Amino acid sequence: MYLAHSFMSDKKRQKHQQPLILAVENHDDSLLLMSYTLDLLGYRSICQKESSKTVFVAKEYQPDLILLNIFLPGMSGLDVIQLLKGDSLTCHIPVVAMTVLAGSEDQKLILNAGFDDYISKPYMIEELEAIIHRLLDRKFDLCPVLEV
């Protein structure tokens, strides 16, 4: 997959504006891994640790998708989703919960809180990519994944 992305011509990259994804994670290692993963998948990204700035950043940059950890210091992801979905400037942005919670009751709580989807940690990059494609395929002409 990395090779296919690397050999994509600059002209082809410029033709399709890549989606912007806001990732909110509380651990430096997880944030670095997320940044690397999104870059590898060909997305532009904004990565941040502070949940309290998420709504401001979402309003300012209007990302196409938000990946939001549930367990954040200060405001939890459940608090942040309420603010995002309650604001006319951000309510249209799909938000994916990133969580260690994997039970069916947890899933129900997350989806009822307003998240568009969720992914349980640890996750495979292919799972994350599939969720991103599914949520953004209406907005962008995303290229199919090339197996290498």
Side-chain angles (χ1 to χ4, degrees):
M1 190 165 23
Y2 178 74
L3 291 175
H5 175 71
S6 295
F7 289 116
M8 185 186 296
S9 72
D10 289 335
K11 193 179 265 189
K12 188 172 182 182
R13 280 188 201 158
Q14 289 171 359
K15 183 179 176 186
H16 299 288
Q17 181 184 7
Q18 294 301 312
L20 176 63
I21 298 176
L22 170 59
V24 185
E25 253 311 334
N26 59 325
H27 295 289
D28 288 333
D29 292 341
S30 298
L31 204 55
L32 182 62
L33 180 61
M34 180 59 66
S35 174
Y36 176 75
T37 300
L38 293 172
D39 184 56
L40 177 70
L41 295 173
Y43 300 113
R44 298 176 299 135
S45 65
I46 300 170
C47 297
Q48 68 172 43
K49 288 176 60 170
E50 296 177 45
S51 60
S52 61
K53 293 183 180 179
T54 301
V55 176
F56 172 77
V57 172
K59 285 181 181 182
E60 180 74 20
Y61 294 96
Q62 290 292 300
D64 300 297
L65 178 78
I66 299 173
L67 302 173
L68 181 61
N69 188 342
I70 293 292
F71 296 110
L72 296 166
M75 292 175 51
S76 75
L78 294 172
D79 296 329
V80 174
I81 191 70
Q82 297 304 312
L83 295 173
L84 288 167
K85 293 302 179 177
D87 191 300
S88 62
L89 293 175
T90 57
C91 64
H92 66 282
I93 302 171
V95 184
V96 177
M98 311 215 32
T99 181
V100 294
L101 302 174
S104 60
E105 288 301 314
D106 299 320
Q107 178 185 2
K108 197 180 301 182
L109 172 71
I110 288 166
L111 295 176
N112 286 339
F115 286 91
D116 296 277
D117 207 336
Y118 80 101
I119 188 165
S120 296
K121 295 178 181 181
Y123 55 85
M124 301 294 290
I125 292 174
E126 294 82 5
E127 292 174 279
L128 179 62
E129 184 177 29
I131 289 172
I132 292 170
H133 270 266
R134 188 173 46 73
L135 291 173
L136 295 182
D137 68 351
R138 287 163 272 159
K139 187 170 185 175
F140 291 88
D141 180 25
L142 297 177
C143 300
V145 178
L146 300 175
E147 296 296 326
V148 178

